[in-house]
Amino acid sequence: QVQLVESGGGLVQAGGSLRLACAVSGRTFSNYAMSWFRQAPGKEREFVAAIGWSANGPAYADSVKDRFTISRDNLKNTVYLQMYSLKPEDTAVYYCAARLFRYATNSHEYQYWGQGTQVTVSS
């Protein structure tokens, strides 16, 4: 079993920055591809960013490309999402997810999920 715990969400003004972290325990972290998804009220969960088990990739949704950066620290068993130039439309609950080896952009392909962390961007 793999446990994921997100942190770092909060309230920020438009144009500001936040860094989310997802701590992983339970299995060999370096074997897992890690991704971030988000879900806004009334909307479906959507892909944000992904990074492979060996840090290959990464991949980003067009809406966050050049503003968000995903990274991982295999010694700390943690994946990060650095978010810059935040916009009100980035407001959502952000979830990290894990699957073995290769990343995917479809949420249905991930077996393990965190509980989510709220990000609110005010205009």
Side-chain angles (χ1 to χ4, degrees):
Q1 193 71 7
V2 177
Q3 294 82 40
L4 293 79
V5 179
E6 301 98 334
S7 61
L11 173 64
V12 64
Q13 288 188 330
S17 302
L18 278 176
R19 188 176 81 155
L20 306 183
C22 175
V24 181
S25 61
R27 292 289 174 88
T28 304
F29 175 68
S30 58
N31 288 342
Y32 286 82
M34 300 297 301
S35 290
W36 289 94
F37 290 80
R38 67 186 181 187
Q39 189 166 17
K43 294 188 177 182
E44 293 187 354
R45 192 168 296 189
E46 65 173 359
F47 170 76
V48 175
I51 189 166
W53 66 278
S54 62
N56 56 302
Y60 298 95
D62 288 342
S63 59
V64 306
K65 202 172 293 184
D66 299 326
R67 298 189 298 121
F68 291 10
T69 301
I70 188 171
S71 61
R72 64 188 298 156
D73 185 335
N74 286 350
L75 295 179
K76 295 183 178 180
N77 290 0
T78 302
V79 62
Y80 302 97
L81 185 68
Q82 179 68 56
M83 305 184 292
Y84 297 102
S85 302
L86 283 161
K87 304 175 181 179
E89 50 264 44
D90 294 319
T91 295
V93 177
Y94 283 71
Y95 298 89
C96 69
R99 70 188 302 268
L100 278 172
F101 302 127
R102 299 175 66 180
Y103 67 76
T105 59
N106 187 329
S107 63
H108 297 293
E109 299 195 47
Y110 286 82
Q111 296 82 29
Y112 304 106
W113 292 85
Q115 82 288 350
T117 186
Q118 176 71 46
V119 172
T120 303
V121 184
S122 63
S123 57

